[in-house]
Amino acid sequence: MRQVFYSSTLTEEIVITGGDAHHLAHVMRTQIGDVITVVDAEGQAAEMVVTALTRDAVHFRMQRVLPAETAGREVILVQALLKGEKMDFIVQKAAELGAVCMCPIVTEHIVVRYDAKKAAAKAARWQKIADEAAKQCGRRSLMTVAPIVSLAELLQDPAYIGAADTVTAFCYEQEERQSMRAVLRGTEARRVTLIVGAEGGFSPAEAAAVTAAGGQSVSLGHRILRAETASLTALAVTQYELGNLDT
């Protein structure tokens, strides 16, 4: 069933306006009588019937409130900037795989560099991609795309590393002993942060800084993975080990 997000709290009758209304009417070609899943700002979902269509608004009436989803442990992806359209791809797939947040970072070996204006535009683009992916895959909450920061700035933020309820797995190509599975099965932390590098990986100084801040370096196996493959592998393995992929 098609799904849209509603920025307020669901009531018996609601009206969706703006870009979402345009998307419903002109892209999804919604008709009066169609039933669509609407998810509100609190993650509550309901099947709602379209009762009226105007030039800039779609009117709904509630048909059935859907059961609440069981909240899983949170997964955050910290991704070093990649070249070309690889970041667009990772943002989309991270949203589909259930990450609650994606934080793009600047590291020593990245290829692309953005000024402040371009960085803000990229972040806005990535958030739009994440929102569309959330609608398409039927998740109950939107994935947040954080502003681009440096690795050093990230390591100072307890939302990503260092907090008592957070375990940080640092995907490092030089790690030969500790697996992702070992770290995930050895923690009951509420939040898991995954840090993945760019095409050139991390420098030894960066690796040392991450571990000093509390990150645990992990291996994704003996094969050399492309950066985008490493990100999706880390996410999929993590969600599986945490039980977030259970039906």
Side-chain angles (χ1 to χ4, degrees):
M1 182 178 291
R2 293 172 292 178
Q3 176 176 296
V4 295
F5 286 89
Y6 181 58
S7 60
S8 188
T9 302
L10 290 177
T11 56
E12 285 297 319
E13 295 187 352
I14 66 169
V15 180
I16 290 180
T17 59
D20 286 334
H22 181 272
H23 183 80
L24 281 165
H26 300 286
V27 179
M28 298 173 66
R29 300 189 180 279
T30 301
Q31 302 294 319
I32 293 174
D34 286 354
V35 178
I36 293 175
T37 299
V38 182
V39 182
D40 70 11
E42 302 300 321
Q44 177 62 64
E47 291 179 357
M48 306 199 74
V49 180
V50 177
T51 57
L53 294 162
T54 62
R55 181 177 179 180
D56 57 357
V58 180
H59 298 249
F60 291 90
R61 183 179 66 250
M62 188 176 294
Q63 177 172 280
R64 181 172 72 97
V65 175
L66 297 174
E69 287 187 340
T70 302
R73 291 152 75 183
E74 295 182 349
V75 179
I76 295 171
L77 175 63
V78 174
Q79 175 65 58
L81 294 175
L82 303 179
K83 62 185 179 181
E85 297 181 351
K86 293 179 182 179
M87 288 294 288
D88 293 3
F89 176 79
I90 288 178
V91 168
Q92 182 188 65
K93 301 312 173 188
E96 292 178 12
L97 285 168
V100 298
C101 176
M102 200 282 282
C103 180
I105 60 169
V106 174
T107 61
E108 288 185 32
H109 295 164
I110 63 171
V111 176
V112 293
R113 303 279 175 177
Y114 302 128
D115 60 24
K117 183 177 180 180
K118 188 66 176 289
K122 282 289 186 180
R125 171 179 169 78
W126 294 330
Q127 186 64 67
K128 184 176 181 180
I129 290 172
D131 292 352
E132 290 302 318
K135 295 174 187 176
Q136 181 274 327
C137 73
R139 61 182 287 174
R140 294 282 184 89
S141 60
L142 298 173
M143 183 184 79
T144 301
V145 178
I148 300 171
V149 296
S150 68
L151 176 62
E153 290 173 310
L154 179 110
L155 297 181
Q156 299 298 315
D157 191 338
Y160 300 102
I161 190 169
D165 62 349
T166 301
V167 63
T168 301
F170 166 52
C171 301
Y172 188 42
E173 63 272 18
Q174 300 302 320
E175 177 59 51
E176 297 179 348
R177 293 177 296 174
Q178 183 163 242
S179 68
M180 176 76 77
R181 175 184 290 180
V183 169
L184 295 175
R185 292 189 175 181
T187 182
E188 295 295 328
R190 182 180 65 85
R191 180 186 299 114
V192 175
T193 297
L194 305 173
I195 302 180
V196 184
E199 291 87 351
F202 294 98
S203 70
E206 288 176 325
V210 173
T211 53
Q216 299 185 55
S217 61
V218 299
S219 170
L220 293 177
H222 64 276
R223 295 182 179 87
I224 298 174
L225 304 178
R226 292 180 182 272
E228 63 272 28
T229 307
S231 299
L232 301 191
T233 299
L235 272 170
V237 168
T238 299
Q239 295 288 38
Y240 177 80
E241 288 292 339
L242 298 182
N244 289 347
L245 297 182
D246 293 348
T247 56

